[in-house]
């Protein structure tokens, strides 16, 4: 199956470098996306541009694809399913949840001069980053790409109720499936609460398993292709 890989904030397609060969060894075609404004030099990129890039990868797939979103990009993956419910076989969400209709995409930190830069590891101390060694932290921070404000403050919109029929698997790294169920039941994640086919799977890692647990992550994504 074609597996479209969409990394979260500050990351480009190279974030998946350790995952891609693991997926290919299992017979899949891995398609890591470098999002507009996150590695292609498009400093004026918008949220719509990023959604269009993921949808274009789905359109280019050889058949129904697994679309994988990480962190904030879980919303991008879900918006692709919204736009192409027949062409997305399943969506895998890693360490994040789709934003709600009408919310800003990812205005989590202040923007300066039109960009939201990586804030350093301070805000992510604890379960998010405990499994990253210092060389990995240094490498990720050095490669982090400031995200255009037109992306982070873009307003999320959905267009089709058919997205709720697309199967979802929520990969739970720095939180547990039990915690995720509590958040869903408590109304914190309306899009997941409305999903008709939702599976939760545990992954013993922090927030960036593509760096700390690429083999285990690839194995879970391989399993997710069984639809």
């Amino acid at each position: 199956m074609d597996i479209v890989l969409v990394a979260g904030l500050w990351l480009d397609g190279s974030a998946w470098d350790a995952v891609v060969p693991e997926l290919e060894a299992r017979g899949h075609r891995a398609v890591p996306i470098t999002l507009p404004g996150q590695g292609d030099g498009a400093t004026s990129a918008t949220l719509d541009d990023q959604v269009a890039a993921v949808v274009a990868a789905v359109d280019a797939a050889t058949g129904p694809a697994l679309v994988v979103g990480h962190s904030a990009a879980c919303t991008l993956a879900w918006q692709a399913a919204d736009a192409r419910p027949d062409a997305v076989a399943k969506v895998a969400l890693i360490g994040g949840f789709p934003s709600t209709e009408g919310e800003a995409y990812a205005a989590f930190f202040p923007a300066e001069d039109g960009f939201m830069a990586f804030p350093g590891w301070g805000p992510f101390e604890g379960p998010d980053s405990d499994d990253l060694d210092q060389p990995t932290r240094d490498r990720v921070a050095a490669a982090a790409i400031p995200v255009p404000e037109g992306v982070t403050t873009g307003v999320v919109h959905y267009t089709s109720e058919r997205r709720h029929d697309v199967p979802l698997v929520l990969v739970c790294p720095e939180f547990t499936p039990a915690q995720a169920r509590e958040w869903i039941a408590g109304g914190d994640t309306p899009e997941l609460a409305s999903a008709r086919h939702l599976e939760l799977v545990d992954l013993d890692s922090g927030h960036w398993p593509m760096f700390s647990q690429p083999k285990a992550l690839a194995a879970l994504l391989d399993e997710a292709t069984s639809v």
Side-chain angles (χ1 to χ4, degrees):
M1 181 179 288
D2 283 14
I3 301 179
V4 177
L5 300 165
V6 193
L9 297 170
W10 311 297
L11 303 174
D12 64 11
S14 69
W16 303 100
D17 280 358
V19 178
V20 167
E22 298 292 334
L23 293 174
E24 292 177 342
R26 290 169 168 82
H28 304 291
R29 176 175 176 260
V31 185
I33 303 298
T34 289
L35 293 166
Q38 287 181 222
D40 70 342
T43 57
S44 61
T46 66
L47 176 61
D48 288 345
D49 293 333
Q50 292 202 346
V51 174
V54 181
V55 171
V58 171
D59 289 342
T62 57
L66 170 66
V67 182
V68 180
H70 163 255
S71 191
C74 289
T75 298
L76 300 179
W78 194 229
Q79 286 181 284
D82 175 67
R84 299 289 189 270
D86 292 321
V88 175
K90 184 180 283 188
V91 171
L93 309 175
I94 303 169
F97 313 96
S99 296
T100 303
E101 167 70 28
E103 288 184 342
Y105 169 60
F108 302 136
F109 302 99
E112 294 185 9
D113 299 323
F115 295 90
M116 189 177 74
F118 178 63
W121 292 107
F124 306 109
E125 289 300 330
D128 282 357
S129 62
D130 280 347
D131 65 337
L132 297 178
D133 59 25
Q134 194 59 49
T136 300
R137 291 182 183 220
D138 293 343
R139 175 172 57 84
V140 173
I145 302 160
V147 182
E149 193 173 8
V151 172
T152 61
T153 62
V155 177
V156 174
H157 292 297
Y158 300 105
T159 61
S160 174
E161 290 299 310
R162 293 185 60 209
R163 70 186 182 279
H164 298 304
D165 291 318
V166 177
L168 273 165
V169 56
L170 175 63
V171 178
C172 304
E174 74 273 21
F175 53 86
T176 67
Q179 288 175 307
R181 291 188 187 98
E182 289 181 4
W183 297 330
I184 294 168
D188 296 327
T189 58
E191 287 298 313
L192 296 190
S194 299
R196 298 185 177 96
H197 312 282
L198 175 63
E199 178 186 5
L200 280 67
V201 296
D202 197 17
L203 178 60
D204 185 16
S205 80
H207 188 66
W208 291 271
M210 67 274 281
F211 301 131
S212 61
Q213 296 284 348
K215 291 184 178 181
L217 177 58
L220 287 181
L221 297 179
D222 177 49
E223 292 175 11
T225 61
S226 299
V227 297

